[in-house]
Structures are given as structure tokens and as C-alpha cells.
Amino acid sequence: SFVDLVRKNHKEQIARWLERVLDAAISEIYIADFVEEKLLSVGDITSPSQEVIERLQEDGLEQRQAHHRFARQKDHKRPVSNSEEGWEERARSHLFRSKRALSLATYLKVRRTLVEFGKKSLSADGLAKLADTPRGADAIRKVLRKAKADRVGICVVDISVCGAIQPYNAILGGKLVSMLAASPEVAQEYRRRYSNAESEIASAMAGRAIRRPPNLVLAGTTSLYGVGS
């Protein structure tokens, strides 16, 4: 696992990567309403207390309950305005406020753990000690999960149908189609088509447009009968 890799190869570059991913995750969460209502202060982002984390968790659960009570299906099916005001409105909805509060609580908890082992910055030795504790290993996994989620949504595609019809199936036409799907031309066209696409969930969490780099790394499809990938 990645945590085992960190234990064996606890380089400072990995520590810097963990901090960068965590910083980016926190910066992509809209917090204006949290600050307005004094759920947290700007200083709590860099030095979070356990009380702040618990307040965010409580608010997240309350907002989730409010979403279930008051949500209207049509509100979540209407098109989102491609403007800062549109994304901010979506961010302040019960659904995304709940997601923001719970996600921010998770990331601030990770930050508290990293600060405990690294003070101002996590060293290679601090990273080794972090990975050797259950709480530290859990923090590393949460950062890794965030990094994977950011890329899976835009760098991985699923091909629902990939094959060849007669008579080309007899000469392995399906294999040719699969190889062409992984060609540089497809990756280039993918980048061109989606380079300006706004991530709906990430933008609603951030209250502003978020665009992920569309660097295609995997195209997957199932076997003929859907029993394997």
C-alpha cells in the first residue's frame, strides 16, 4: 500500500507532496459563510483546534438533515450558471454546505495530525514517525484519496462499447479499436475538448469555477459479457 511505501521510502519530497495536496484541498472549499457565522476564523485554517473541527462536523450533519427535509428535486436538476454567483449560490445550498463542512473538518483534522508530527513543516523523519502511527497512516490515506479523486473524475474514461462487428471481429478488429483508443491522437482530442470544462462538484464546493487538467491516462471497458475489465 501507499502507507507501506512511505514507511520504507520516507523522502522529504513525499512530505512536501502531502502538504501540497492538503493545501489545495482546503483552498478549494468555500468558507465565506463559515467565517461570517463564526464557525471558524481564517487563522483556524492553518492552526485548527479540535473545537473548530467538532463545530464543522456538527454543522455538516445539521445541514444534511436540512437538505433531506427541504430539498426539491428540480433545484438540483436545473442548469448551473457559469458564473461566480451561480457557483456561490450552489455552494451555499444545504447539500453542498454539508459536504463542505464535513470535508473541511476532515482536512483540518489531517492538518492537525501533520502539524503534530512536523510543526511548521513535515521532515523526512517526521513523515516516518507519522506513517508508523494509526492516526498518521489514516491521515496519509485521506490525502491520497483526495489526490486520486481529483484525477479519476477527469483523467480516466469508461468506454461503454468497444469492439468490432463482422467481418472485422474475425481479424481481431476489436483489439485494433482498443489500441486506437489509447493513441496520442485520442489523448490530444480529449485535452482539446475538455480543457475548459468546469468540474460541477468541485466548483460547487469551491464556490467558483474549478477546471482540472484533462490528461487522459486510462480508458477502461468491460469484457463482452461484463465479467472483467
Side-chain angles (χ1 to χ4, degrees):
S1 69
F2 183 71
V3 175
D4 292 331
L5 174 66
V6 172
R7 291 191 184 109
K8 296 175 184 176
N9 190 24
H10 44 275
K11 291 184 177 180
E12 191 166 323
Q13 293 95 314
I14 299 179
R16 298 288 80 74
W17 177 81
L18 288 171
E19 291 173 341
R20 285 198 305 272
V21 173
L22 181 60
D23 288 343
I26 293 173
S27 71
E28 289 185 357
I29 296 180
Y30 180 80
I31 64 168
D33 50 349
F34 297 154
V35 175
E36 289 167 6
E37 298 170 25
K38 294 184 170 45
L39 272 176
L40 54 74
S41 66
V42 175
D44 290 325
I45 297 298
T46 53
S47 301
S49 65
Q50 183 60 33
E51 290 76 17
V52 166
I53 293 170
E54 290 174 357
R55 282 203 300 269
L56 287 168
Q57 290 172 333
E58 183 179 348
D59 184 73
L61 295 176
E62 289 176 355
Q63 292 296 318
R64 180 182 293 174
Q65 292 172 354
H67 167 68
H68 291 315
R69 284 201 307 271
F70 305 121
R72 296 181 300 176
Q73 192 174 32
K74 64 179 183 179
D75 290 339
H76 296 281
K77 288 191 173 183
R78 65 185 179 184
V80 178
S81 170
N82 290 327
S83 66
E84 298 301 301
E85 293 79 10
W87 288 124
E88 186 174 336
E89 180 185 357
R90 181 65 67 92
R92 286 176 176 261
S93 68
H94 292 304
L95 174 61
F96 280 101
R97 172 154 173 160
S98 171
K99 289 178 178 292
R100 288 188 292 113
L102 294 175
S103 294
L104 186 57
T106 296
Y107 297 142
L108 292 185
K109 187 175 180 181
V110 171
R111 171 155 283 172
R112 271 178 61 83
T113 302
L114 264 59
V115 168
E116 180 181 332
F117 284 87
K119 303 303 179 187
K120 290 186 177 180
S121 186
L122 195 62
S123 65
D125 289 339
L127 178 62
K129 294 175 182 177
L130 177 76
D132 276 335
T133 66
R135 192 155 50 91
D138 183 62
I140 292 172
R141 290 189 194 98
K142 284 183 169 63
V143 174
L144 177 63
R145 196 174 300 124
K146 169 60 177 171
K148 289 171 68 176
D150 287 348
R151 286 156 182 79
V152 166
I154 189 67
C155 298
V156 177
V157 297
D158 181 65
I159 306 172
S160 57
V161 177
C162 182
I165 60 174
Q166 292 181 347
Y168 306 105
N169 58 331
I171 57 172
L172 302 182
K175 299 293 189 294
L176 175 61
V177 171
S178 297
M179 292 170 65
L180 291 173
S183 67
E185 288 82 2
V186 169
Q188 183 177 353
E189 173 60 18
Y190 186 81
R191 280 195 299 272
R192 186 197 67 77
R193 183 173 298 190
Y194 297 110
S195 59
N196 290 319
E198 298 176 355
S199 172
E200 185 167 340
I201 294 178
S203 298
M205 292 284 283
R208 67 182 190 278
I210 297 292
R211 298 177 179 85
R212 307 281 188 213
N215 299 318
L216 186 61
V217 298
L218 175 68
T221 187
T222 64
S223 63
L224 178 61
Y225 299 106
V227 295
S229 59

